[in-house]
């Protein structure tokens, strides 16, 4: 302030530069910083330690819009509109009679056309018709447009949005101060780290880490025109679809899956009732239950997940479990025990288990918790960044990009200072060693001459 003569830029000046000019170039600037770190030898981009966290949006916490509720209200409104149109066109005045009809899907454009047709008809001057048309135009049409807009804001891949930040999704947060599991408007932030430098980041509206994994890796490839040789992630990313993509791209992966740690416990290994521990005869294509009974193949079907990926599930069933004396411990259902097996996923898990239990896998497993988790701790607790201040994906990406650049530059400066300090200590040690050596040599010469 003294150097500038108490002249300082206004908030609007800084905000315009940030939101209008910098927003277009933030990803390129972040990439250039990481490329500089590669040239200086701090990172190699050969390995990614991937993890995600949810950071709260600046939206009002009680401005939620739920997709299922909007669809239910819209369906009820369509039913009312249909009954009113029937009254106008067929002269039905008994509302209770038309309320029992199935709701007919309506959109606002179609309703506008129907209203225009009614206004041009011969019955337009009728008082009852005028009253019903007015109800459609002033009450139901605006509400129908409102529901359509809300569903458009939510989109096909989400189940909620916020009124004050339409691109934010309500997610369950770790920072639950009320201790009631309340959902809050937030964004899913995914990052890659190497030696605790942020090498890649992306913002998602989907709270599920599994659904973001493939798109995130493609983003890394687009950013640097290369894919890392190794990928390390926790069990939140272990799925058949993700494993298949990693093998297709020939990426050496150390990605955990559900029950990975449980499989190493004795209670899991000695449990004879778990599907994972049942003996499978590959030639005969059957499993053997704990009592030695064959579980034969019944059917095969396809299962599609939310992203459209299809898995092949094979079903096996025991012949007779009626008089089995361990039935209560084996399963709780009615009839004979049935199991569903995904052999493709079992093979992927076997490969993942082999990688994770290898010597290199143990090293990566020990480093993964202190790589991205340390960055998240620095962001949320050291820097106090617990909530975004800008709206929308672009605004949030800009805000986090600036933060990631700051963290990388700060980390680089700290390493330079540590290296300089070590160099100074080494120089002082060498000088001290040379002085001691010279004194010892002089003392030895003096003693030799005296003798």
């Amino acid at each position: 302030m003294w150097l500038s003569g108490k002249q300082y830029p206004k908030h609007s000046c800084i905000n315009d530069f940030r939101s209008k000019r910098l927003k277009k170039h933030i990803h390129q600037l972040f990439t250039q910083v990481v490329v500089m770190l590669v040239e200086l030898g701090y990172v190699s981009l050969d390995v990614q330690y991937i993890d995600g966290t949810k950071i709260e949006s600046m939206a009002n916490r009680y401005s939620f819009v739920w997709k299922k509720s909007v669809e239910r209200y819209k369906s009820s409104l369509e039913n009312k509109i249909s009954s009113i149109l029937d009254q106008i066109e067929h002269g039905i005045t008994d509302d209770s009679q038309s309320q029992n009809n199935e709701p007919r899907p309506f959109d606002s454009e179609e309703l506008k056309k129907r209203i225009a047709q009614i206004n041009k008809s011969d019955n337009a001057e009728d008082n009852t018709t005028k009253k019903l048309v007015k109800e459609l135009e002033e009450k139901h049409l605006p509400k129908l447009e409102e529901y359509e807009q809300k569903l458009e804001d939510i989109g096909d891949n989400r189940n909620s949005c916020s009124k004050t930040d339409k691109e934010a999704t309500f997610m369950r947060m770790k920072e639950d101060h009320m201790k009631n599991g309340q959902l809050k408007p937030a964004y899913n932030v995914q990052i890659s780290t190497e030696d605790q430098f942020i090498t890649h980041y992306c913002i998602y509206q989907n709270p599920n880490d599994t659904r973001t994994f493939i798109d995130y890796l493609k983003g890394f490839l687009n950013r640097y025109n290369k894919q890392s040789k190794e990928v390390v992630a926790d069990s939140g990313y272990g799925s058949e679809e993700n494993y298949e993509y990693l093998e297709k791209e020939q990426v050496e992966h150390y990605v955990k899956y559900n029950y990975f740690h449980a499989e190493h416990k004795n209670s899991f290994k000695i449990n004879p009732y778990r599907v994972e521990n049942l003996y499978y005869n590959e030639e005969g294509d059957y499993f053997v239950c704990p009592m030695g009974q064959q579980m034969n193949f019944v059917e095969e079907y396809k299962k599609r997940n939310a992203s459209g990926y299809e898995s092949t599930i094979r079903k096996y069933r025991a012949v007779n479990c009626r008089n089995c004396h361990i039935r209560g411990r084996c399963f709780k259902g009615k009839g004979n025990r049935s199991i569903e097996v995904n052999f493709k996923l079992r093979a992927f898990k076997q490969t993942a288990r082999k990688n994770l239990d290898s010597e290199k896998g143990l090293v990566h497993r020990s480093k993964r918790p202190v790589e991205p988790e340390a960055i998240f701790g620095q962001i949320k607790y050291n820097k106090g960044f617990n909530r975004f201040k800008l709206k929308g994906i672009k605004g949030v990406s800009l805000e986090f990009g600036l933060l990631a650049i700051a963290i990388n530059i700060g980390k680089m400066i700290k390493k330079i200072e540590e290296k300089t300090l070590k160099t100074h200590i080494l120089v002082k040690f060498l000088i001290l060693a040379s002085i001691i050596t010279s004194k010892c040599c002089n003392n030895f010469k003096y003693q030799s001459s005296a003798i």
Side-chain angles (χ1 to χ4, degrees):
M1 291 174 66
W2 180 82
L3 288 172
S4 65
K6 294 187 177 181
Q7 296 179 2
Y8 50 88
K10 295 181 180 179
H11 172 269
S12 59
C13 177
I14 298 175
N15 187 59
D16 288 344
F17 170 76
R18 180 180 64 172
S19 59
K20 294 180 180 179
R21 298 178 61 187
L22 191 59
K23 187 180 289 186
K24 301 177 183 178
H25 308 287
I26 187 64
H27 290 289
Q28 185 180 359
L29 289 172
F30 172 79
T31 305
Q32 290 175 0
V33 170
V34 176
V35 170
M36 178 186 68
L37 294 173
V38 174
E39 293 173 351
L40 293 174
Y42 291 109
V43 295
S44 63
L45 299 181
D46 290 334
V47 60
Q48 292 185 73
Y49 293 92
I50 301 175
D51 203 356
T53 189
K54 297 173 180 63
I55 300 180
E56 191 174 350
S57 167
M58 60 82 62
N60 189 305
R61 295 174 181 174
Y62 302 98
S63 58
F64 38 76
V65 177
W66 302 107
K67 186 175 184 178
K68 288 185 178 180
S69 298
V70 175
E71 289 176 340
R72 186 172 69 253
Y73 297 150
K74 184 172 179 289
S75 177
S76 177
L77 180 62
E78 289 169 351
N79 194 15
K80 291 180 181 178
I81 293 172
S82 178
S83 66
I84 291 174
L85 291 174
D86 287 342
Q87 291 179 39
I88 294 173
E89 294 175 357
H90 304 291
I92 300 175
T93 57
D94 187 8
D95 294 341
S96 61
Q97 182 179 352
S98 56
Q99 287 292 331
N100 296 326
N101 297 335
E102 289 293 328
R104 175 186 169 186
F106 268 100
D107 58 21
S108 56
E109 294 299 325
E110 182 182 356
L111 181 57
K112 288 178 183 178
K113 292 178 181 178
R114 295 289 296 274
I115 293 174
Q117 291 175 359
I118 294 170
N119 289 331
K120 293 179 182 179
S121 65
D122 298 334
N123 297 328
E125 299 301 324
D126 183 64
N127 291 332
T128 305
T129 303
K130 284 183 178 181
K131 184 178 178 181
L132 293 174
V133 169
K134 185 178 180 180
E135 182 181 353
L136 288 174
E137 289 179 333
E138 296 182 359
K139 183 179 179 181
H140 298 317
L141 179 59
K143 206 64 180 177
L144 182 60
E145 291 176 336
E146 178 186 340
Y147 292 151
E148 290 175 349
Q149 184 61 48
K150 287 180 178 179
L151 291 175
E152 183 180 349
D153 294 337
I154 295 173
D156 297 330
N157 300 322
R158 294 195 293 164
N159 59 2
S160 65
C161 75
S162 171
K163 294 177 183 177
T164 50
D165 184 2
K166 295 180 180 179
E167 296 186 16
T169 306
F170 278 78
M171 305 178 185
R172 197 173 301 280
M173 310 287 289
K174 288 183 179 179
E175 297 82 9
D176 186 10
H177 306 292
M178 301 295 291
K179 305 296 182 182
N180 58 358
Q182 179 183 349
L183 302 179
K184 297 177 183 177
Y187 292 94
N188 186 359
V189 180
Q190 298 287 317
I191 67 169
S192 297
T193 65
E194 183 182 351
D195 198 16
Q196 294 188 3
F197 285 98
I198 301 177
T199 56
H200 181 46
Y201 74 92
C202 203
I203 313 295
Y204 291 97
Q205 298 169 293
N206 193 330
N208 193 335
D209 292 340
T210 309
R211 301 281 185 267
T212 65
F213 187 68
I214 295 177
D215 182 77
Y216 181 77
L217 291 179
K218 289 180 180 178
F220 186 93
L221 178 62
N222 294 332
R223 188 186 291 274
Y224 302 110
N225 293 322
K226 61 170 285 188
Q227 187 60 266
S228 55
K229 298 178 182 177
E230 299 174 352
V231 170
V232 186
D234 62 10
S235 58
Y237 302 88
S239 68
E240 180 185 352
E241 184 179 7
N242 294 341
Y243 285 136
E244 185 176 13
Y245 177 80
L246 289 168
E247 292 204 357
K248 181 181 177 182
E249 297 296 320
Q250 297 180 351
V251 178
E252 187 176 346
H253 61 87
Y254 302 89
V255 180
K256 296 179 184 178
Y257 52 87
N258 291 338
Y259 301 110
F260 171 75
H261 290 289
E263 287 179 352
H264 291 74
K265 297 180 180 179
N266 288 331
S267 58
F268 188 97
K269 294 178 181 179
I270 64 176
N271 188 346
Y273 309 111
R274 296 195 64 91
V275 177
E276 294 83 356
N277 296 332
L278 296 180
Y279 171 76
Y280 175 66
N281 187 303
E282 192 170 350
E283 294 182 359
D285 188 23
Y286 63 85
F287 285 84
V288 179
C289 78
M291 286 299 295
Q293 183 181 178
Q294 288 189 13
M295 305 183 73
N296 300 317
F297 172 73
V298 178
E299 62 175 335
E300 180 179 289
Y301 62 92
K302 302 289 184 180
K303 188 176 180 180
R304 188 187 299 270
N305 63 13
S307 62
Y309 180 82
E310 278 192 352
S311 301
T312 302
I313 310 297
R314 292 177 65 85
K315 190 172 184 179
Y316 296 81
R317 182 177 296 154
V319 178
N320 185 11
C321 299
R322 181 178 300 175
N323 299 321
C324 181
H325 64 278
I326 63 171
R327 175 192 174 98
R329 286 174 288 173
C330 187
F331 76 108
K332 304 295 183 182
K334 297 181 180 180
N336 299 324
R337 183 183 179 183
S338 298
I339 59 173
E340 296 177 344
V341 183
N342 186 340
F343 284 100
K344 193 174 183 180
L345 180 58
R346 282 165 69 104
F348 285 143
K349 285 184 177 180
Q350 186 175 358
T351 303
R353 189 185 305 113
K354 182 179 178 182
N355 293 341
L356 290 164
D357 289 336
S358 65
E359 186 175 351
K360 187 186 289 188
L362 292 173
V363 173
H364 283 313
R365 283 167 56 187
S366 64
K367 290 181 67 176
R368 194 207 65 79
V370 298
E371 276 283 344
E373 295 293 346
I375 298 296
F376 291 144
Q378 185 178 357
I379 290 172
K380 292 187 175 182
Y381 299 102
N382 295 351
K383 298 189 179 299
F385 190 87
N386 294 310
R387 194 172 186 181
F388 288 111
K389 295 177 176 61
L390 297 178
K391 293 182 180 181
I393 290 288
K394 292 183 179 179
V396 168
S397 298
L398 165 65
E399 199 171 354
F400 192 84
L402 286 170
L403 182 63
I405 290 173
I407 288 174
N408 284 348
I409 293 176
K411 184 78 174 177
M412 180 186 67
I413 292 172
K414 187 175 180 180
K415 283 187 173 290
I416 292 173
E417 289 176 349
E418 290 176 354
K419 187 177 180 180
T420 305
L421 180 62
K422 288 180 181 179
T423 305
H424 288 168
I425 293 173
L426 181 60
V427 170
K428 289 181 180 179
F429 174 78
L430 292 174
I431 292 173
L432 181 62
S434 62
I435 293 172
I436 294 172
T437 304
S438 62
K439 286 186 176 181
C440 290
C441 291
N442 291 334
N443 189 23
F444 178 75
K445 289 180 181 179
Y446 174 76
Q447 290 178 359
S448 299
S449 62
I451 292 172

